């Protein structure tokens, strides 16, 4: 079968690899129907992360189930499903606490498309093996277009969870979003849905700023100064802009939450004394995606968030090795569109 591989910075290619088969009763085989480029993939492809090629690429997809083991109860062949990035069993102590990115049954950090802990394939492959089908696969409701759901297992779920947990759940209604693309825009959209009353969106890309302004945010190309006031929730999806993260911490309100979604590689410094005085909680983490998927699908079905507003054009599947390297917003491709 064909598999998209990250070879080295600035280069991906199609490779012929063995088609995976079921290895036990609890597994499923899935063919990606729609797959996307995560904003985190951009620094991976440019060589800005510690991840070095070569490996099968891609960790955001909706797929169609093509085969299941005898013990699989949650999905059937033909079902459309969200495939999460992380490989997780659903039964170990950490999975049961919802920490699905830290499953104890697989090498720590096991993920599709990033070769972090073993080779699990990538979600641009023709066929993907899902080691724990009932724990990992969530059915897409029939009324939803899989195109809208391509990033539900990843960035859409993260944005929805941040908004529900911290904006609605903790009343953090002043939000500072440090962004470089679709993840930040999704956070803005979800934050307003869940009760934010003031959102400042910071992005160097004018097109993204226009989209954020349409959502009701104050859109800036650099973080604001203190005259803008303090923020209860600061989200960093700037792909490693440490200066912006520090600025976000300095703009934090008492007991603020600062959440970095990744992109900072290696050591850095933070304004620890200011954090101490304000009582700032800083979390830098990979997301536990599986628990976010169902609620994010519900949110799309209810019309509360429309992720495709923040995608770039659809690219042809055959063109992915070149198209995935292009700058711009989120790239999405349909597997049946080979043209
Ligand atoms: Zn991702
Ligand atoms: Zn587990």
């Amino acid at each position: 079968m064909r598999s998209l591989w990250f070879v080295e910075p600035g280069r991906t290619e199609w490779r012929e690899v063995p088609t995976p088969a079921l290895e036990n009763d609890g597994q499923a085989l899935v063919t990606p129907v729609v797959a996307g480029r995560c904003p985190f993939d951009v620094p991976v492809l440019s060589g800005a992360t510690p991840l070095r090629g070569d490996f099968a690429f891609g960790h955001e997809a909706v797929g169609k189930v093509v085969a299941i083991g005898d013990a699989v109860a949650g999905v059937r062949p033909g079902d459309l499903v969200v495939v999460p990035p992380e490989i997780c069993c659903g039964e170990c102590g950490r999975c049961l606490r919802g920490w699905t990115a830290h499953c104890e049954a697989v090498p720590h950090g096991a993920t599709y498309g990033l070769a972090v802990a073993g080779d699990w394939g990538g979600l641009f492959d023709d066929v993907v093996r899902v080691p724990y089908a009932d724990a990992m696969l969530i059915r897409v409701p029939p009324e939803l277009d899989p195109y809208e759901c391509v990033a539900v297992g990843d960035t859409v779920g993260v944005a929805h969870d941040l908004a529900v947990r911290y904006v609605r759940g903790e009343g953090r209604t002043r939000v500072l979003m440090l962004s470089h693309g679709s993840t930040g825009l999704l956070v803005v959209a979800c934050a307003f849905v869940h009760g934010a009353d003031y959102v400042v969106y910071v992005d160097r890309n004018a097109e993204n700023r226009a989209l954020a302004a349409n959502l009701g945010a104050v859109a800036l190309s650099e973080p604001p100064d203190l005259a803008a006031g303090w923020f209860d929730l600061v989200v960093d999806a700037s792909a490693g802009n440490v200066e912006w993260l520090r600025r976000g911490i300095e703009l934090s309100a008492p007991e603020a939450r600062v959440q970095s979604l990744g992109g900072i590689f290696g050591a850095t410094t933070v304004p620890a004394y200011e954090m101490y005085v304000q009582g700032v909680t800083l979390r830098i983490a990979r997301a536990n995606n599986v628990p976010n998927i169902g609620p994010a699908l519900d949110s799309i079905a209810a019309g509360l968030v429309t992720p495709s507003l923040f995608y770039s054009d659809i690219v042809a599947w055959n063109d992915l090795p070149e198209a995935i390297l292009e700058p711009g917003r989120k790239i999405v491709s349909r597997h049946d569109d080979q043209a």
Side-chain angles (χ1 to χ4, degrees), residues 32-242:
V33 170
V34 186
R37 178 182 71 182
C38 172
F40 185 82
D41 288 336
V42 176
V44 174
L45 291 166
S46 72
T49 81
L51 297 171
R52 288 287 166 261
D54 45 356
F55 53 80
F57 199 68
H59 65 268
E60 283 187 354
V62 167
K64 181 179 281 189
V65 177
V66 293
I68 57 172
D70 290 343
V72 173
V75 296
R76 291 172 302 160
D79 284 349
L80 285 176
V81 290
V82 174
V83 185
E86 67 261 36
I87 314 296
C88 57
C89 75
E91 294 178 343
C92 70
R94 293 196 202 120
C95 279
L96 290 174
R97 297 181 75 166
W99 300 347
T100 53
H102 306 279
C103 176
E104 296 166 52
V106 291
H108 185 237
T111 303
Y112 288 118
L114 291 169
V116 173
D119 177 13
W120 304 91
L123 298 189
F124 295 105
D125 291 3
D126 285 338
V127 179
V128 176
R129 177 166 41 229
V130 180
Y132 305 96
D134 282 340
M136 293 172 61
L137 298 177
I138 312 287
R139 267 201 304 241
V140 175
E143 69 272 20
L144 287 186
D145 182 345
Y147 174 63
E148 283 297 344
C149 306
V150 62
V152 164
D154 197 23
T155 53
V156 177
V158 167
H160 177 79
D161 180 61
L162 280 173
V164 169
R165 195 181 293 261
Y166 300 123
V167 179
R168 182 172 296 282
E170 298 184 356
R172 302 181 182 278
T173 58
R174 291 177 56 90
V175 179
L176 175 61
M177 182 66 237
L178 307 168
S179 181
H180 88 131
S182 61
T183 308
L185 292 164
L186 287 162
V187 170
V188 172
C190 292
F192 278 123
V193 165
H194 291 284
D197 50 36
Y198 181 64
V199 179
V200 172
Y201 176 87
V202 186
D203 194 321
R204 295 233 165 97
N205 181 293
E207 210 179 336
N208 292 336
R209 290 200 301 275
L211 287 164
N214 268 344
L215 294 168
V218 174
L220 305 173
S221 58
E222 292 289 330
D225 57 34
L226 264 175
W230 285 336
F231 294 89
D232 308 311
L233 174 64
V234 177
V235 181
D236 163 45
S238 68
N241 190 328
V242 176

Side-chain angles (χ1 to χ4, degrees), residues 221-309:
S221 58
E222 292 289 330
D225 57 34
L226 264 175
W230 285 336
F231 294 89
D232 308 311
L233 174 64
V234 177
V235 181
D236 163 45
S238 68
N241 190 328
V242 176
E243 279 309 313
W244 282 15
L245 176 62
R246 288 196 196 101
R247 189 82 193 116
I249 291 170
E250 289 164 3
L251 291 166
S252 291
E255 299 297 341
R257 156 75 56 164
V258 178
Q259 180 100 8
S260 175
L261 303 180
I264 299 163
F265 307 105
T268 189
T269 58
V270 293
Y273 181 69
E274 287 82 351
M275 291 176 70
Y276 166 72
V277 171
Q278 294 293 73
V280 172
T281 301
L282 169 62
R283 175 173 159 82
I284 305 176
R286 294 181 299 124
N288 298 299
N289 291 293
V290 174
N292 298 338
I293 294 173
L297 286 171
D298 291 345
S299 185
I300 295 172
L304 298 177
V305 59
T306 307
S308 63
L309 292 175

